[in-house]
Amino acid sequence: MTRALTLHDWIVAGIAVVAGVGAGLLLRTLLRWLGERASRTRWNGDDVIVDALRTLVPCAAITAGLAAAAGALPLTPRTGRNVTMTLTALLILAATLTTARIVTGLVRALAQSRSGVAGSATIFVNITRVVVLAMGFLVVLQTLGISIAPLLTALGVGGLAVALALQDTLANLFAGVHILAAKTVQPGDYIQLSSGEEGYVVDINWRNTTVRQLSNNLVIIPNAKLASTNMTNYSRPEQELSIMVQAGVSYDSDLEQVERVTTEVVDEVMKDITGAVPDHEAAVRFHTFGDSRISFTVILGVGEFSDQYRIKHEFIKRLHQRYRAEGIRVPAPARTVTVHQGELPPPLGIPHQRDVSTPPRVR
């Protein structure tokens, strides 16, 4: 200290601390009010920003009050420098955590807005968080007077050993980044692998991809395997798709009537059933003269993959009811068996016996 502490010094320092705490509480209340207004907007980014600032701004106000209190006290230059350095480091740490929350929240909101309601690509969120926290940690060390050059050198040398030890993990990491960057698969897509796994992509993280099956089970697929396997994406290039239903009518049916009635049922289903495509143009295509029927294909439009089961269900019920009302017959498979009189074949498994003592007669 340059001089002895007086009551005036304590009063000024106390007023500075109280002012900082009061300003922090006031700013927190203001940010809570702003958060209520932000929740009414359609953009989720303002909610993330206000929620993150709700921690940083009061912390900055209190730190400013403490810095003012330290400046009012008769501290030695070394003590004042240490106090200032500590408060600065704490403020940088709080700013780093707040920045990480804001950036990761914006990345998550952007991923969800592009991937559907259920989609979440945490790989970008985790990478962003690690990068921001690492940069903030290095700045804090530099502020405290700790040289970061030896640390960076050690990280550079040790990074090679870590990379060799974590080859599979790094392969999955870069495969996940490649999948998302190429937009071959996005969270919310319905995919089917050549090995048989299929379902909705729930999340793509730094190591694996989580797929939720229609049975509500989760399938965990390594990113490297997903990037190297043959795959069908039913949500790309667009989510709407066409499905085909096979049907058939008897040979004595009026095919013009069959086409007209089937088209009317398709239009009715497309307009009434949730998940169908209302502006889908009905298509009926006759293609085969079968053994007992004339077969044809009906093409339906669905909004997304899982809607096809409900739409097929309703279409078949309504088509069957309409065919019965119109007198259109859907024949069951039939087989005609003709029995010729004569020598019966030998019992099954017993070869036919012939008397070899009498030679065959030659004409």
Side-chain angles (χ1 to χ4, degrees), residues 56-304:
L56 174 63
V57 173
C59 181
I62 295 174
T63 303
L66 293 176
L73 296 176
L75 303 177
T76 61
R78 181 177 179 180
T79 303
R81 184 171 59 255
N82 292 334
V83 170
T84 302
M85 185 184 303
T86 303
L87 293 177
T88 303
L90 292 177
L91 185 59
I92 293 175
L93 181 61
T96 301
L97 295 176
T98 302
T99 303
R101 290 181 59 184
I102 292 176
V103 175
T104 54
L106 293 177
V107 171
R108 183 181 291 108
L110 180 61
Q112 291 178 349
S113 65
R114 292 189 175 184
S115 306
V117 178
S120 174
T122 57
I123 181 171
F124 288 145
V125 174
N126 292 333
I127 291 176
T128 303
R129 181 184 291 112
V130 170
V131 171
V132 173
L133 292 179
M135 294 177 61
F137 178 72
L138 293 178
V139 173
V140 169
L141 292 180
Q142 190 70 26
T143 303
L144 294 176
I146 301 175
S147 178
I148 62 175
L151 179 61
L152 294 178
T153 303
L155 290 176
V157 175
L160 180 59
V162 173
L164 293 176
L166 300 177
Q167 290 185 26
D168 294 339
T169 301
L170 293 177
N172 288 319
L173 173 62
F174 288 111
V177 174
H178 171 72
I179 289 172
L180 290 174
K183 296 184 179 180
T184 55
V185 176
Q186 295 291 316
D189 292 352
Y190 191 95
I191 63 173
Q192 182 180 25
L193 305 185
S194 59
S195 54
E197 297 89 350
E198 62 178 289
Y200 288 99
V201 178
V202 177
D203 185 25
I204 302 177
N205 57 36
W206 60 275
R207 183 173 178 81
N208 52 55
T209 298
T210 304
V211 175
R212 183 182 299 275
Q213 297 178 321
L214 294 180
S215 59
N216 210 31
N217 297 322
L218 295 180
V219 179
I220 310 301
I221 306 171
N223 292 332
K225 179 181 178 182
L226 184 65
S228 60
T229 188
N230 295 332
M231 173 184 57
T232 302
N233 191 336
Y234 291 97
S235 301
R236 304 285 168 173
E238 59 184 15
Q239 202 167 20
E240 295 181 0
L241 66 152
S242 298
I243 59 174
M244 293 180 289
V245 179
Q246 305 298 326
V249 294
S250 61
Y251 276 91
D252 57 358
S253 301
D254 183 356
L255 297 187
E256 293 292 339
Q257 180 191 17
V258 171
E259 184 175 6
R260 175 180 57 82
V261 171
T262 306
T263 301
E264 292 175 358
V265 175
V266 172
D267 293 336
E268 178 184 343
V269 171
M270 292 296 100
K271 294 178 181 177
D272 296 345
I273 306 302
T274 303
V277 182
D279 56 351
H280 172 75
E281 183 178 354
V284 179
R285 299 292 182 263
F286 297 97
H287 56 77
T288 304
F289 288 101
D291 294 337
S292 59
R293 64 178 64 192
I294 297 177
S295 302
F296 60 93
T297 300
V298 183
I299 302 176
L300 306 174
V302 297
E304 60 100 13

Side-chain angles (χ1 to χ4, degrees), residues 17-35 50 53-62:
V17 173
V18 171
V21 174
L25 295 177
L26 180 62
L27 291 173
R28 187 174 179 84
T29 303
L30 177 62
L31 289 172
R32 184 181 296 111
W33 179 81
L34 290 177
V50 173
L53 291 179
R54 195 178 297 177
T55 302
L56 174 63
V57 173
C59 181
I62 295 174

